[in-house]
Amino acid sequence: MFFLLAILTAFSVGFFVTPILIKLLHKAQIGDLPGGRKIHKKFIPSMGGIAFFLAASIAMSIWAWQFPLPDIRYLLGAIALVFFVGLRDDMVELKATHKIMGQLVAVLLVIVAADIRIKDLHGFMGVGELNLYVSYGFSAFVILALTNAFNLIDGLDGLASTMAVIVLSSLGIWFYVHGLDSFAVLCFTFLGGILSFLVYNWHPAKIFMGDTGSLTLGFTMGALIIAFMEYNAALPAGSAWKFEPIFSSGIALMIFPLYDMARVFTRRIMQGKGPMTPDKSHVHHFLMRSGLKHNHVAMLLGFIQLTFVVLVVALKDYSDHLVLPLISVIALGLGYRLDQVTVKYVKKKVHAEPRVLEVRPLSQQQRRKIKLEMEEIRESKMNLN
């Protein structure tokens, strides 16, 4: 009941604040115009992350005071820092290096001050406890990768919000079951805020979350996933809801954003482009070309993401050496099949469309004939007059 009230508080605040934010952003003309890589048809306000960040913050201030917050106070500060980095980028676009530097400061707060980091590979690929600086470097890389992978999927009505609902609810339930209440309340307050935002972000979207929202959510979930992995690994053998495939369970929670980022970067590099070059090669773009609508794509990809989570739950007693290759093969197989189906559909659609008429230069005889016809028309008009 307590955590349900936390969710309802965040949802209520977000539900009433978001329409106000939409009107303010409309008046200020802050948002995304159609055209280029954008697939919407009209001006849509952005920076919707302000609404659910405010909702989560207010709910946290009401319900989290009774929990021992020292274990997440640095995490909360880091989340706030990333929020302002995203806010700054939405208002005045930041250079990629400046954006990464801001994120890196927040990452250092998490891995050094809060000590939320990957400390041990627990025998995976024969690797045990990590050197302190190797642990810092590897953990920083993982959080940055998860943050920016989530940021990249925010290109379709309701997609990023749907993924966040799946991840935050899964993590919140696990933290609650194991008595990690401060982490659980953080998950559930953000969950309530995202659910309220999804009401306005579902197709046809009235507002986008922007980098203000996607970076904040990606960073929050990345840090929470690492916390989940470490607390999960520390559970005694045979504990209820201990996941033996430690890394597979963390990867499964963000399998779609990670796959999409790897796929897009690989395609761009193979085409001789930079990995950060914007284009329309994301999975959701391909599905849209297959004739699906925004809401259908969001539901399909959300279902696939949830299926991977359920699969890892079903295989929770097996090691990473089995589960990680299995989910990797399934993800790659689904991606390959997606490309095949999309290309086949696009070819079929193009073939069914009427051919563009070919424009050829007129011959001398055709010019002479047209000239004679024009003279006849002119003479006819003169006779009529």
Side-chain angles (χ1 to χ4, degrees), residues 85-360:
V85 170
L87 183 66
R88 170 70 165 78
D89 187 49
D90 278 336
M91 296 186 73
V92 181
E93 189 172 353
L94 285 171
K95 293 182 180 178
T97 51
H98 293 170
K99 196 189 297 188
I100 292 293
M101 288 300 295
Q103 294 174 37
L104 193 55
V105 174
V107 167
L108 290 175
L109 275 175
V110 171
I111 63 176
V112 178
D115 200 35
I116 298 174
R117 58 189 173 89
I118 300 171
K119 303 170 185 176
D120 199 316
L121 296 190
H122 308 283
F124 180 62
M125 297 181 68
V127 181
E129 186 176 353
L130 298 176
N131 173 275
L132 179 63
Y133 295 105
V134 173
S135 172
Y136 284 158
F138 183 53
S139 302
F141 171 78
V142 170
I143 295 177
L144 288 174
L146 294 175
T147 301
N148 291 284
F150 187 81
N151 183 42
L152 287 173
I153 68 166
D154 182 30
L156 193 75
D157 296 356
L159 178 58
S161 303
T162 301
M163 295 296 167
V165 167
I166 294 169
V167 175
L168 290 169
S169 55
S170 301
L171 288 171
I173 291 169
W174 191 89
F175 285 130
Y176 166 72
V177 168
H178 290 90
L180 298 165
D181 292 334
S182 54
F183 286 101
V185 75
L186 177 59
C187 290
F188 287 132
T189 50
F190 264 98
L191 176 61
I194 288 297
L195 287 171
S196 67
F197 176 75
L198 191 55
V199 173
Y200 302 96
N201 184 234
W202 194 251
H203 183 69
K206 298 178 180 65
I207 188 169
F208 297 148
M209 66 172 65
D211 280 0
T212 308
S214 60
L215 287 178
T216 304
L217 275 180
F219 179 83
T220 302
M221 292 188 298
L224 287 170
I225 285 171
I226 289 184
F228 154 71
M229 290 166 60
E230 286 303 298
Y231 280 108
N232 175 65
L235 291 174
S239 297
W241 293 107
K242 176 175 182 177
F243 289 82
E244 293 298 331
I246 297 169
F247 299 102
S248 303
S249 54
I251 290 171
L253 286 167
M254 290 279 271
I255 188 72
F256 169 66
L258 289 172
Y259 168 77
D260 185 64
M261 181 176 68
R263 176 181 177 277
V264 166
F265 282 7
T266 302
R267 289 175 66 90
R268 290 172 183 171
I269 291 169
M270 290 177 66
Q271 294 171 359
K273 302 176 183 177
M276 300 302 293
T277 305
D279 57 23
K280 285 188 175 182
S281 61
H282 292 278
V283 170
H284 56 266
H285 289 135
F286 268 61
L287 288 171
M288 290 287 289
R289 293 189 193 109
S290 298
L292 296 177
K293 296 180 180 179
H294 288 247
N295 51 337
H296 297 153
V297 174
M299 287 189 291
L300 174 61
L301 294 176
F303 174 76
I304 292 172
Q305 172 69 62
L306 186 59
T307 300
F308 275 95
V309 174
V310 172
L311 178 62
V312 170
V313 170
L315 299 173
K316 70 182 185 67
D317 296 325
Y318 296 89
S319 72
D320 278 308
H321 295 94
L322 171 67
V323 180
L324 188 56
L326 178 62
I327 63 173
S328 300
V329 168
I330 293 173
L332 292 172
L334 285 173
Y336 178 73
R337 181 59 182 161
L338 165 67
D339 287 349
Q340 281 188 320
V341 171
T342 303
V343 170
K344 184 179 179 180
Y345 175 86
V346 172
K347 285 182 177 179
K348 185 178 178 181
K349 185 179 178 182
V350 170
H351 182 72
E353 290 177 351
R355 296 178 179 274
V356 178
L357 294 176
E358 201 173 19
V359 179
R360 297 179 180 178

Side-chain angles (χ1 to χ4, degrees), residues 357-373:
L357 294 176
E358 201 173 19
V359 179
R360 297 179 180 178
L362 296 173
S363 65
Q364 190 173 0
Q365 184 180 358
Q366 288 171 323
R367 289 197 201 98
R368 191 182 299 116
K369 183 179 179 181
I370 293 172
K371 186 177 180 181
L372 289 171
E373 290 175 349

